[in-house]
Amino acid sequence: MKSSIILLSLLVLAFTSHSAAAKKHPLDSLDSLSASEINHVRKLVLKSKLGLHKNISFQYVALEAPEKETVYEWKYGSSSLPPRKATVIARIPGETHQILVDITSKEVVYDEVYHGFGYPIFTSEEQVKAYELPMEYPPFIKSIRTRGLDMKSVVCNTFSVGWFGEKKQGKRVINVLCFYTNGTVNIYARPIEGITVVVDLDQMKITGYIDRTKVPVPKAQGTDYRESTQKPPFGPKTNPISIEQPEGPSFKVHGHMVEWANWKFHVGFDLKAGPVISTADVYDPEKRRFRSVMYRAFISELFVPYMDPSEEWYYKTYFDNGEFGLGLSSVSLQPLNDCPRHAHYMDAIYAGANGKPVVKENVFCIFERYAGDVSWRHTETGIPDLVVTEVRPEVSLVVRMVATVGNYDYILDWEFKKNGAIRGNVGLSGILEYKATSYTHLDQIQKKNEDIYGNLLAENTIGTFHDHFLTFYLDMDVDGIENSFVKAMIKRKDVTNGKSPRKSYWTVEKMVAKTEDDAKIQFDLKKPADLLVINPNKKSKVGQDIAYRLATGSIAKSLLSLDDYPQIRATFTNNQVWVSRYNRTEQWAGGDYMDQSHGDDTLAVWTNKNRDIENKDIVLWYTMGIHHIPYQEDFPMMPTLSEGFELKPTNFFERNPILKLESMNASSLPKCKKAS
Ligand SMILES: *[C@@H]1O[C@H](CO)[C@@H](O)[C@H](O)[C@H]1NC(C)=O
Ligand SMILES: *[C@@H]1O[C@H](CO)[C@@H](O)[C@H](O)[C@H]1NC(C)=O
Ligand SMILES: *[C@@H]1O[C@H](CO)[C@@H](O)[C@H](O)[C@H]1NC(C)=O
């Protein structure tokens, strides 16, 4: 959860125009600007009055989502491309500007000063400047010396400060915390506890300094995770393994459009959201055409509250999308280990703080997953003298991006299945945000009966309790734009007429949500339900509603009190599912200005309008929640914790759409020899 990329300088950053922009598919770049468009936007803003300001910084530049109607018209035949516009959020000291640039007509449409609460996403550049400041700050240098540490081994990182009830908007500040590298690259395992440096980002200077507690820096031994530094004893080894595709993979990529098996969709990139999947259509072999499923989907916000209320830790309640950006935190994927052989890699392009395009290489990988699973099977032994066995292997397509938000690594997957399902999956790995302590054994803590707000994982090291709430924006357009939300409630019925030996059974009662209030869902084991997005204007042959349903994964509810400030900012996690009326500008569940937000522009506020959602263009919001009690195995590096959900076709196809899948046959498979 948190902060900027210390190794920023090691990433491949090219500030030149990008050649891949040359080949353009008509549907390309639905969610992203090209390098040349970013350059145009920058020039237009710098030419405007705002451009006269020396300290202008481009916090967020994105393609202004085109009107949906225009996209559909364009998709189904109209030759003209939707107009290309860019949203720009820029900062000059003391002011946030919201700017709309029309790229096509080459003009700044408007430039307004934002007067509401909250600040835009941090840029990498300002975070780097901020965390370098302590290195020259005499009180900090003194604190480091007092601890007997060497400044040469000190590195720092930036942490958002949150909001804790101040009525007025606070200054645009960020906290800087520091770590000790001597003897390890695992900086988060060696926190220099007790020192907080506050940096005013507008003035770019230190405006607050606290050095309160002195606890030892946990030792370096056993914290390094690099393969080259591991020492025996080692455990048993397994043989090398890989997937062979001698004829190449079966997907096609044109720019950002991907076609594979029965799927066609677009992969976009956003600085806050990271991957954006749009216009996902599935092929229906009976209707012999593609049918729309999902117009747009991405992670809208990621709330990570820590459960330590002490002076040095209470503010750690991060909103990774709005503050640090999953896209901004994306990293270059490592072939063979991040993604299998035959994966296709795609770069990401975004605007840096100076407005110029930054190209980050190999941010996405796309690959076919074959993990030895079964997509369907049956063995029939009920027929005399005949055994029928039919099995089909499961092969799916994965689009992957990894966001390394400071210490944590989020492995973000969108998986497309031949059975028509779309899976959103998140793998959590990386390093916990450890807290240093003087304790080295649980007995000492129990003797003092002290609350340490976490688990002792190693000597002098606490893994602090925390949560992850990932709120997914799922704009479903199930076989058309107008949809309804249906709760298929599973309810117990009691047998009272004495005609059955049974006393009870369950049945399904459907409720069509008329308004946004009807669609606010908090999960309750005693009130199970299937959650369907239906197209009320179309029916299957036997008269069923054509639908997709949300098969939820990990569900956890925030246990913070509703009036706790982080929770006020995160009210969008109060329900695990919401349905809102589609509004092009309502995309970020916590608001457009998440840093130090007051929670006054959230999904909870928008849905207060209680708009009609029956047979309308609607958006489904799902929050996947994970409570994380750290255990010793999470030290010094977390084994991946994987959680996901599925959107499954539900009376969408007339029958099992993968009945006619082919089985695998040894004669069609490559005969591989051991590599020499
Ligand atoms: C750095 O670590 C080495 C051992 O790895 C130790 O000998 C040395 O004293 C440490 N230096 C500081 C300044 O902590
Ligand atoms: C603003 O710009 C001036 C001149 O380029 C520079 O000296 C100063 O450091 C800048 N201030 C900030 C906060 O970046
Ligand atoms: C869309 O949402 C924005 C922000 O909530 C609001 O200002 C605007 O009025 C909405 N538009 C419509 C058509 O409801």
Side-chain angles (χ1 to χ4, degrees), residues 497-527:
N497 61 8
K499 287 187 180 160
S500 168
R502 287 275 296 274
K503 291 194 189 324
S504 60
Y505 63 103
W506 62 253
T507 188
V508 175
E509 280 177 25
K510 287 189 181 169
M511 191 275 282
V512 181
K514 305 266 182 232
T515 68
E516 289 172 324
D517 275 352
D518 296 338
K520 294 176 179 167
I521 313 267
Q522 295 187 16
F523 289 110
D524 178 351
L525 273 184
K526 290 194 215 102
K527 293 180 184 164

PDB file of all heavy atoms in Angstrom, residues 497-527:
ATOM      1  N   ASN A 497     -47.921 -28.375   4.900  1.00  0.00           N
ATOM      2  CA  ASN A 497     -49.155 -29.090   4.545  1.00  0.00           C
ATOM      3  C   ASN A 497     -49.105 -30.582   4.874  1.00  0.00           C
ATOM      4  O   ASN A 497     -50.032 -31.315   4.549  1.00  0.00           O
ATOM      5  CB  ASN A 497     -49.489 -28.874   3.061  1.00  0.00           C
ATOM      6  CG  ASN A 497     -48.375 -29.399   2.158  1.00  0.00           C
ATOM      7  OD1 ASN A 497     -47.440 -30.051   2.631  1.00  0.00           O
ATOM      8  ND2 ASN A 497     -48.488 -29.112   0.876  1.00  0.00           N
ATOM      9  N   GLY A 498     -47.977 -31.041   5.477  1.00  0.00           N
ATOM     10  CA  GLY A 498     -47.883 -32.440   5.878  1.00  0.00           C
ATOM     11  C   GLY A 498     -47.759 -33.422   4.727  1.00  0.00           C
ATOM     12  O   GLY A 498     -47.795 -34.620   4.930  1.00  0.00           O
ATOM     13  N   LYS A 499     -47.552 -32.921   3.479  1.00  0.00           N
ATOM     14  CA  LYS A 499     -47.490 -33.828   2.330  1.00  0.00           C
ATOM     15  C   LYS A 499     -46.093 -34.357   2.053  1.00  0.00           C
ATOM     16  O   LYS A 499     -45.892 -35.108   1.109  1.00  0.00           O
ATOM     17  CB  LYS A 499     -48.038 -33.125   1.085  1.00  0.00           C
ATOM     18  CG  LYS A 499     -49.550 -32.981   1.129  1.00  0.00           C
ATOM     19  CD  LYS A 499     -50.081 -32.448  -0.189  1.00  0.00           C
ATOM     20  CE  LYS A 499     -51.592 -32.313  -0.108  1.00  0.00           C
ATOM     21  NZ  LYS A 499     -52.099 -31.385  -1.122  1.00  0.00           N
ATOM     22  N   SER A 500     -45.116 -33.910   2.815  1.00  0.00           N
ATOM     23  CA  SER A 500     -43.739 -34.373   2.607  1.00  0.00           C
ATOM     24  C   SER A 500     -43.118 -34.726   3.943  1.00  0.00           C
ATOM     25  O   SER A 500     -43.398 -34.086   4.949  1.00  0.00           O
ATOM     26  CB  SER A 500     -42.927 -33.255   1.945  1.00  0.00           C
ATOM     27  OG  SER A 500     -41.556 -33.568   1.981  1.00  0.00           O
ATOM     28  N   PRO A 501     -42.256 -35.759   3.926  1.00  0.00           N
ATOM     29  CA  PRO A 501     -41.520 -36.043   5.171  1.00  0.00           C
ATOM     30  C   PRO A 501     -40.552 -34.905   5.522  1.00  0.00           C
ATOM     31  O   PRO A 501     -40.097 -34.801   6.650  1.00  0.00           O
ATOM     32  CB  PRO A 501     -40.746 -37.321   4.866  1.00  0.00           C
ATOM     33  CG  PRO A 501     -41.153 -37.770   3.512  1.00  0.00           C
ATOM     34  CD  PRO A 501     -41.921 -36.694   2.840  1.00  0.00           C
ATOM     35  N   ARG A 502     -40.214 -34.076   4.523  1.00  0.00           N
ATOM     36  CA  ARG A 502     -39.306 -32.946   4.760  1.00  0.00           C
ATOM     37  C   ARG A 502     -40.033 -31.839   5.497  1.00  0.00           C
ATOM     38  O   ARG A 502     -41.234 -31.658   5.342  1.00  0.00           O
ATOM     39  CB  ARG A 502     -38.812 -32.413   3.405  1.00  0.00           C
ATOM     40  CG  ARG A 502     -37.806 -33.334   2.726  1.00  0.00           C
ATOM     41  CD  ARG A 502     -36.405 -33.059   3.229  1.00  0.00           C
ATOM     42  NE  ARG A 502     -36.007 -31.702   2.863  1.00  0.00           N
ATOM     43  CZ  ARG A 502     -35.450 -31.389   1.690  1.00  0.00           C
ATOM     44  NH1 ARG A 502     -35.200 -32.316   0.800  1.00  0.00           N
ATOM     45  NH2 ARG A 502     -35.127 -30.145   1.429  1.00  0.00           N
ATOM     46  N   LYS A 503     -39.275 -31.093   6.310  1.00  0.00           N
ATOM     47  CA  LYS A 503     -39.868 -29.955   7.019  1.00  0.00           C
ATOM     48  C   LYS A 503     -39.545 -28.633   6.328  1.00  0.00           C
ATOM     49  O   LYS A 503     -40.190 -27.616   6.566  1.00  0.00           O
ATOM     50  CB  LYS A 503     -39.345 -29.913   8.455  1.00  0.00           C
ATOM     51  CG  LYS A 503     -39.843 -31.065   9.336  1.00  0.00           C
ATOM     52  CD  LYS A 503     -39.568 -30.745  10.784  1.00  0.00           C
ATOM     53  CE  LYS A 503     -39.816 -31.896  11.743  1.00  0.00           C
ATOM     54  NZ  LYS A 503     -40.941 -32.757  11.414  1.00  0.00           N
ATOM     55  N   SER A 504     -38.476 -28.646   5.480  1.00  0.00           N
ATOM     56  CA  SER A 504     -38.081 -27.370   4.863  1.00  0.00           C
ATOM     57  C   SER A 504     -37.295 -27.600   3.577  1.00  0.00           C
ATOM     58  O   SER A 504     -36.758 -28.682   3.347  1.00  0.00           O
ATOM     59  CB  SER A 504     -37.232 -26.567   5.845  1.00  0.00           C
ATOM     60  OG  SER A 504     -36.079 -27.304   6.183  1.00  0.00           O
ATOM     61  N   TYR A 505     -37.220 -26.570   2.766  1.00  0.00           N
ATOM     62  CA  TYR A 505     -36.402 -26.547   1.548  1.00  0.00           C
ATOM     63  C   TYR A 505     -36.146 -25.077   1.234  1.00  0.00           C
ATOM     64  O   TYR A 505     -36.618 -24.196   1.946  1.00  0.00           O
ATOM     65  CB  TYR A 505     -37.129 -27.251   0.393  1.00  0.00           C
ATOM     66  CG  TYR A 505     -38.434 -26.608  -0.039  1.00  0.00           C
ATOM     67  CD1 TYR A 505     -38.505 -25.831  -1.191  1.00  0.00           C
ATOM     68  CD2 TYR A 505     -39.594 -26.765   0.723  1.00  0.00           C
ATOM     69  CE1 TYR A 505     -39.697 -25.238  -1.587  1.00  0.00           C
ATOM     70  CE2 TYR A 505     -40.795 -26.158   0.337  1.00  0.00           C
ATOM     71  CZ  TYR A 505     -40.833 -25.400  -0.815  1.00  0.00           C
ATOM     72  OH  TYR A 505     -42.006 -24.804  -1.197  1.00  0.00           O
ATOM     73  N   TRP A 506     -35.349 -24.801   0.172  1.00  0.00           N
ATOM     74  CA  TRP A 506     -35.229 -23.383  -0.195  1.00  0.00           C
ATOM     75  C   TRP A 506     -35.669 -23.146  -1.619  1.00  0.00           C
ATOM     76  O   TRP A 506     -35.661 -24.043  -2.451  1.00  0.00           O
ATOM     77  CB  TRP A 506     -33.870 -22.782   0.098  1.00  0.00           C
ATOM     78  CG  TRP A 506     -32.637 -23.320  -0.597  1.00  0.00           C
ATOM     79  CD1 TRP A 506     -31.678 -24.080  -0.025  1.00  0.00           C
ATOM     80  CD2 TRP A 506     -32.198 -23.080  -1.949  1.00  0.00           C
ATOM     81  NE1 TRP A 506     -30.684 -24.345  -0.924  1.00  0.00           N
ATOM     82  CE2 TRP A 506     -30.971 -23.733  -2.105  1.00  0.00           C
ATOM     83  CE3 TRP A 506     -32.733 -22.370  -3.039  1.00  0.00           C
ATOM     84  CZ2 TRP A 506     -30.254 -23.719  -3.311  1.00  0.00           C
ATOM     85  CZ3 TRP A 506     -32.036 -22.343  -4.247  1.00  0.00           C
ATOM     86  CH2 TRP A 506     -30.811 -23.015  -4.368  1.00  0.00           C
ATOM     87  N   THR A 507     -36.032 -21.929  -1.868  1.00  0.00           N
ATOM     88  CA  THR A 507     -36.454 -21.555  -3.204  1.00  0.00           C
ATOM     89  C   THR A 507     -35.917 -20.154  -3.504  1.00  0.00           C
ATOM     90  O   THR A 507     -35.242 -19.548  -2.673  1.00  0.00           O
ATOM     91  CB  THR A 507     -37.987 -21.608  -3.329  1.00  0.00           C
ATOM     92  OG1 THR A 507     -38.333 -21.413  -4.706  1.00  0.00           O
ATOM     93  CG2 THR A 507     -38.665 -20.533  -2.490  1.00  0.00           C
ATOM     94  N   VAL A 508     -36.165 -19.675  -4.710  1.00  0.00           N
ATOM     95  CA  VAL A 508     -35.591 -18.390  -5.128  1.00  0.00           C
ATOM     96  C   VAL A 508     -36.688 -17.358  -5.325  1.00  0.00           C
ATOM     97  O   VAL A 508     -37.700 -17.637  -5.970  1.00  0.00           O
ATOM     98  CB  VAL A 508     -34.785 -18.579  -6.436  1.00  0.00           C
ATOM     99  CG1 VAL A 508     -34.280 -17.238  -6.958  1.00  0.00           C
ATOM    100  CG2 VAL A 508     -33.628 -19.535  -6.213  1.00  0.00           C
ATOM    101  N   GLU A 509     -36.482 -16.211  -4.738  1.00  0.00           N
ATOM    102  CA  GLU A 509     -37.394 -15.075  -4.955  1.00  0.00           C
ATOM    103  C   GLU A 509     -36.592 -13.961  -5.598  1.00  0.00           C
ATOM    104  O   GLU A 509     -35.566 -13.565  -5.072  1.00  0.00           O
ATOM    105  CB  GLU A 509     -37.962 -14.574  -3.619  1.00  0.00           C
ATOM    106  CG  GLU A 509     -39.095 -15.403  -3.089  1.00  0.00           C
ATOM    107  CD  GLU A 509     -39.564 -14.894  -1.724  1.00  0.00           C
ATOM    108  OE1 GLU A 509     -39.366 -13.697  -1.418  1.00  0.00           O
ATOM    109  OE2 GLU A 509     -40.083 -15.726  -0.965  1.00  0.00           O
ATOM    110  N   LYS A 510     -37.082 -13.452  -6.716  1.00  0.00           N
ATOM    111  CA  LYS A 510     -36.327 -12.412  -7.419  1.00  0.00           C
ATOM    112  C   LYS A 510     -36.832 -11.026  -7.064  1.00  0.00           C
ATOM    113  O   LYS A 510     -38.031 -10.812  -6.929  1.00  0.00           O
ATOM    114  CB  LYS A 510     -36.430 -12.621  -8.924  1.00  0.00           C
ATOM    115  CG  LYS A 510     -35.617 -13.798  -9.378  1.00  0.00           C
ATOM    116  CD  LYS A 510     -35.537 -13.863 -10.884  1.00  0.00           C
ATOM    117  CE  LYS A 510     -34.718 -15.080 -11.279  1.00  0.00           C
ATOM    118  NZ  LYS A 510     -34.814 -15.339 -12.717  1.00  0.00           N
ATOM    119  N   MET A 511     -35.898 -10.117  -6.910  1.00  0.00           N
ATOM    120  CA  MET A 511     -36.249  -8.727  -6.654  1.00  0.00           C
ATOM    121  C   MET A 511     -35.511  -7.874  -7.678  1.00  0.00           C
ATOM    122  O   MET A 511     -34.286  -7.946  -7.789  1.00  0.00           O
ATOM    123  CB  MET A 511     -35.816  -8.352  -5.236  1.00  0.00           C
ATOM    124  CG  MET A 511     -36.344  -7.029  -4.722  1.00  0.00           C
ATOM    125  SD  MET A 511     -35.331  -5.622  -5.204  1.00  0.00           S
ATOM    126  CE  MET A 511     -33.977  -5.737  -4.072  1.00  0.00           C
ATOM    127  N   VAL A 512     -36.265  -7.125  -8.461  1.00  0.00           N
ATOM    128  CA  VAL A 512     -35.637  -6.221  -9.426  1.00  0.00           C
ATOM    129  C   VAL A 512     -35.412  -4.885  -8.719  1.00  0.00           C
ATOM    130  O   VAL A 512     -36.355  -4.310  -8.170  1.00  0.00           O
ATOM    131  CB  VAL A 512     -36.545  -6.005 -10.658  1.00  0.00           C
ATOM    132  CG1 VAL A 512     -35.868  -5.084 -11.670  1.00  0.00           C
ATOM    133  CG2 VAL A 512     -36.902  -7.337 -11.302  1.00  0.00           C
ATOM    134  N   ALA A 513     -34.182  -4.406  -8.700  1.00  0.00           N
ATOM    135  CA  ALA A 513     -33.898  -3.131  -8.027  1.00  0.00           C
ATOM    136  C   ALA A 513     -34.445  -1.987  -8.860  1.00  0.00           C
ATOM    137  O   ALA A 513     -34.090  -1.837 -10.031  1.00  0.00           O
ATOM    138  CB  ALA A 513     -32.397  -2.980  -7.824  1.00  0.00           C
ATOM    139  N   LYS A 514     -35.344  -1.216  -8.235  1.00  0.00           N
ATOM    140  CA  LYS A 514     -35.914  -0.071  -8.957  1.00  0.00           C
ATOM    141  C   LYS A 514     -34.967   1.126  -8.878  1.00  0.00           C
ATOM    142  O   LYS A 514     -34.830   1.876  -9.828  1.00  0.00           O
ATOM    143  CB  LYS A 514     -37.249   0.352  -8.323  1.00  0.00           C
ATOM    144  CG  LYS A 514     -38.259  -0.762  -8.219  1.00  0.00           C
ATOM    145  CD  LYS A 514     -39.182  -0.751  -9.420  1.00  0.00           C
ATOM    146  CE  LYS A 514     -40.235  -1.829  -9.293  1.00  0.00           C
ATOM    147  NZ  LYS A 514     -40.287  -2.676 -10.499  1.00  0.00           N
ATOM    148  N   THR A 515     -34.382   1.298  -7.706  1.00  0.00           N
ATOM    149  CA  THR A 515     -33.525   2.468  -7.503  1.00  0.00           C
ATOM    150  C   THR A 515     -32.201   2.048  -6.874  1.00  0.00           C
ATOM    151  O   THR A 515     -32.028   0.915  -6.445  1.00  0.00           O
ATOM    152  CB  THR A 515     -34.191   3.490  -6.549  1.00  0.00           C
ATOM    153  OG1 THR A 515     -34.249   2.900  -5.245  1.00  0.00           O
ATOM    154  CG2 THR A 515     -35.582   3.875  -7.005  1.00  0.00           C
ATOM    155  N   GLU A 516     -31.294   3.012  -6.795  1.00  0.00           N
ATOM    156  CA  GLU A 516     -29.954   2.742  -6.257  1.00  0.00           C
ATOM    157  C   GLU A 516     -30.010   2.208  -4.826  1.00  0.00           C
ATOM    158  O   GLU A 516     -29.198   1.377  -4.439  1.00  0.00           O
ATOM    159  CB  GLU A 516     -29.098   4.013  -6.342  1.00  0.00           C
ATOM    160  CG  GLU A 516     -28.729   4.354  -7.788  1.00  0.00           C
ATOM    161  CD  GLU A 516     -28.052   5.698  -7.960  1.00  0.00           C
ATOM    162  OE1 GLU A 516     -28.412   6.645  -7.228  1.00  0.00           O
ATOM    163  OE2 GLU A 516     -27.173   5.808  -8.843  1.00  0.00           O
ATOM    164  N   ASP A 517     -30.987   2.675  -4.034  1.00  0.00           N
ATOM    165  CA  ASP A 517     -31.107   2.181  -2.651  1.00  0.00           C
ATOM    166  C   ASP A 517     -31.394   0.681  -2.606  1.00  0.00           C
ATOM    167  O   ASP A 517     -30.914  -0.013  -1.707  1.00  0.00           O
ATOM    168  CB  ASP A 517     -32.247   2.913  -1.910  1.00  0.00           C
ATOM    169  CG  ASP A 517     -31.766   4.221  -1.312  1.00  0.00           C
ATOM    170  OD1 ASP A 517     -30.538   4.469  -1.346  1.00  0.00           O
ATOM    171  OD2 ASP A 517     -32.610   4.999  -0.821  1.00  0.00           O
ATOM    172  N   ASP A 518     -32.196   0.195  -3.559  1.00  0.00           N
ATOM    173  CA  ASP A 518     -32.541  -1.233  -3.583  1.00  0.00           C
ATOM    174  C   ASP A 518     -31.331  -2.114  -3.855  1.00  0.00           C
ATOM    175  O   ASP A 518     -31.391  -3.324  -3.670  1.00  0.00           O
ATOM    176  CB  ASP A 518     -33.560  -1.528  -4.709  1.00  0.00           C
ATOM    177  CG  ASP A 518     -34.885  -0.826  -4.478  1.00  0.00           C
ATOM    178  OD1 ASP A 518     -35.172  -0.476  -3.317  1.00  0.00           O
ATOM    179  OD2 ASP A 518     -35.624  -0.626  -5.463  1.00  0.00           O
ATOM    180  N   ALA A 519     -30.269  -1.508  -4.362  1.00  0.00           N
ATOM    181  CA  ALA A 519     -29.137  -2.311  -4.829  1.00  0.00           C
ATOM    182  C   ALA A 519     -27.908  -2.177  -3.932  1.00  0.00           C
ATOM    183  O   ALA A 519     -26.804  -2.523  -4.334  1.00  0.00           O
ATOM    184  CB  ALA A 519     -28.788  -1.894  -6.264  1.00  0.00           C
ATOM    185  N   LYS A 520     -28.106  -1.675  -2.728  1.00  0.00           N
ATOM    186  CA  LYS A 520     -26.980  -1.597  -1.790  1.00  0.00           C
ATOM    187  C   LYS A 520     -26.935  -2.916  -1.023  1.00  0.00           C
ATOM    188  O   LYS A 520     -27.873  -3.249  -0.314  1.00  0.00           O
ATOM    189  CB  LYS A 520     -27.169  -0.428  -0.824  1.00  0.00           C
ATOM    190  CG  LYS A 520     -27.098   0.917  -1.533  1.00  0.00           C
ATOM    191  CD  LYS A 520     -27.377   2.078  -0.606  1.00  0.00           C
ATOM    192  CE  LYS A 520     -27.261   3.387  -1.383  1.00  0.00           C
ATOM    193  NZ  LYS A 520     -27.800   4.523  -0.633  1.00  0.00           N
ATOM    194  N   ILE A 521     -25.859  -3.648  -1.184  1.00  0.00           N
ATOM    195  CA  ILE A 521     -25.819  -5.003  -0.632  1.00  0.00           C
ATOM    196  C   ILE A 521     -24.706  -5.155   0.393  1.00  0.00           C
ATOM    197  O   ILE A 521     -23.548  -4.851   0.115  1.00  0.00           O
ATOM    198  CB  ILE A 521     -25.559  -6.036  -1.759  1.00  0.00           C
ATOM    199  CG1 ILE A 521     -26.465  -5.785  -2.960  1.00  0.00           C
ATOM    200  CG2 ILE A 521     -25.624  -7.470  -1.216  1.00  0.00           C
ATOM    201  CD1 ILE A 521     -27.739  -6.509  -3.004  1.00  0.00           C
ATOM    202  N   GLN A 522     -25.086  -5.640   1.572  1.00  0.00           N
ATOM    203  CA  GLN A 522     -24.095  -6.081   2.554  1.00  0.00           C
ATOM    204  C   GLN A 522     -24.285  -7.580   2.703  1.00  0.00           C
ATOM    205  O   GLN A 522     -25.400  -8.031   2.959  1.00  0.00           O
ATOM    206  CB  GLN A 522     -24.308  -5.382   3.892  1.00  0.00           C
ATOM    207  CG  GLN A 522     -24.059  -3.894   3.789  1.00  0.00           C
ATOM    208  CD  GLN A 522     -24.094  -3.200   5.134  1.00  0.00           C
ATOM    209  OE1 GLN A 522     -24.007  -3.836   6.179  1.00  0.00           O
ATOM    210  NE2 GLN A 522     -24.219  -1.897   5.096  1.00  0.00           N
ATOM    211  N   PHE A 523     -23.220  -8.311   2.534  1.00  0.00           N
ATOM    212  CA  PHE A 523     -23.369  -9.760   2.534  1.00  0.00           C
ATOM    213  C   PHE A 523     -23.707 -10.296   3.915  1.00  0.00           C
ATOM    214  O   PHE A 523     -23.246  -9.800   4.926  1.00  0.00           O
ATOM    215  CB  PHE A 523     -22.108 -10.428   1.984  1.00  0.00           C
ATOM    216  CG  PHE A 523     -21.969 -10.195   0.511  1.00  0.00           C
ATOM    217  CD1 PHE A 523     -20.986  -9.375   0.006  1.00  0.00           C
ATOM    218  CD2 PHE A 523     -22.875 -10.774  -0.362  1.00  0.00           C
ATOM    219  CE1 PHE A 523     -20.893  -9.139  -1.355  1.00  0.00           C
ATOM    220  CE2 PHE A 523     -22.786 -10.549  -1.719  1.00  0.00           C
ATOM    221  CZ  PHE A 523     -21.790  -9.724  -2.215  1.00  0.00           C
ATOM    222  N   ASP A 524     -24.549 -11.315   3.903  1.00  0.00           N
ATOM    223  CA  ASP A 524     -25.043 -11.897   5.139  1.00  0.00           C
ATOM    224  C   ASP A 524     -25.298 -13.370   4.825  1.00  0.00           C
ATOM    225  O   ASP A 524     -26.097 -13.697   3.941  1.00  0.00           O
ATOM    226  CB  ASP A 524     -26.351 -11.168   5.514  1.00  0.00           C
ATOM    227  CG  ASP A 524     -26.980 -11.729   6.780  1.00  0.00           C
ATOM    228  OD1 ASP A 524     -26.512 -12.775   7.282  1.00  0.00           O
ATOM    229  OD2 ASP A 524     -27.960 -11.115   7.257  1.00  0.00           O
ATOM    230  N   LEU A 525     -24.589 -14.251   5.521  1.00  0.00           N
ATOM    231  CA  LEU A 525     -24.734 -15.691   5.268  1.00  0.00           C
ATOM    232  C   LEU A 525     -26.172 -16.154   5.415  1.00  0.00           C
ATOM    233  O   LEU A 525     -26.585 -17.136   4.808  1.00  0.00           O
ATOM    234  CB  LEU A 525     -23.866 -16.484   6.250  1.00  0.00           C
ATOM    235  CG  LEU A 525     -22.421 -16.737   5.853  1.00  0.00           C
ATOM    236  CD1 LEU A 525     -21.757 -17.623   6.888  1.00  0.00           C
ATOM    237  CD2 LEU A 525     -22.359 -17.402   4.477  1.00  0.00           C
ATOM    238  N   LYS A 526     -26.936 -15.446   6.246  1.00  0.00           N
ATOM    239  CA  LYS A 526     -28.315 -15.856   6.472  1.00  0.00           C
ATOM    240  C   LYS A 526     -29.236 -15.374   5.355  1.00  0.00           C
ATOM    241  O   LYS A 526     -30.402 -15.746   5.312  1.00  0.00           O
ATOM    242  CB  LYS A 526     -28.815 -15.316   7.820  1.00  0.00           C
ATOM    243  CG  LYS A 526     -28.144 -15.996   9.005  1.00  0.00           C
ATOM    244  CD  LYS A 526     -28.911 -15.675  10.296  1.00  0.00           C
ATOM    245  CE  LYS A 526     -27.980 -15.534  11.473  1.00  0.00           C
ATOM    246  NZ  LYS A 526     -27.710 -14.146  11.860  1.00  0.00           N
ATOM    247  N   LYS A 527     -28.724 -14.487   4.497  1.00  0.00           N
ATOM    248  CA  LYS A 527     -29.553 -13.978   3.399  1.00  0.00           C
ATOM    249  C   LYS A 527     -28.813 -14.144   2.072  1.00  0.00           C
ATOM    250  O   LYS A 527     -28.442 -13.166   1.425  1.00  0.00           O
ATOM    251  CB  LYS A 527     -29.860 -12.492   3.619  1.00  0.00           C
ATOM    252  CG  LYS A 527     -30.747 -12.227   4.815  1.00  0.00           C
ATOM    253  CD  LYS A 527     -30.998 -10.743   4.951  1.00  0.00           C
ATOM    254  CE  LYS A 527     -31.792 -10.444   6.204  1.00  0.00           C
ATOM    255  NZ  LYS A 527     -31.725  -9.021   6.567  1.00  0.00           N
TER     256      LYS A 527
END
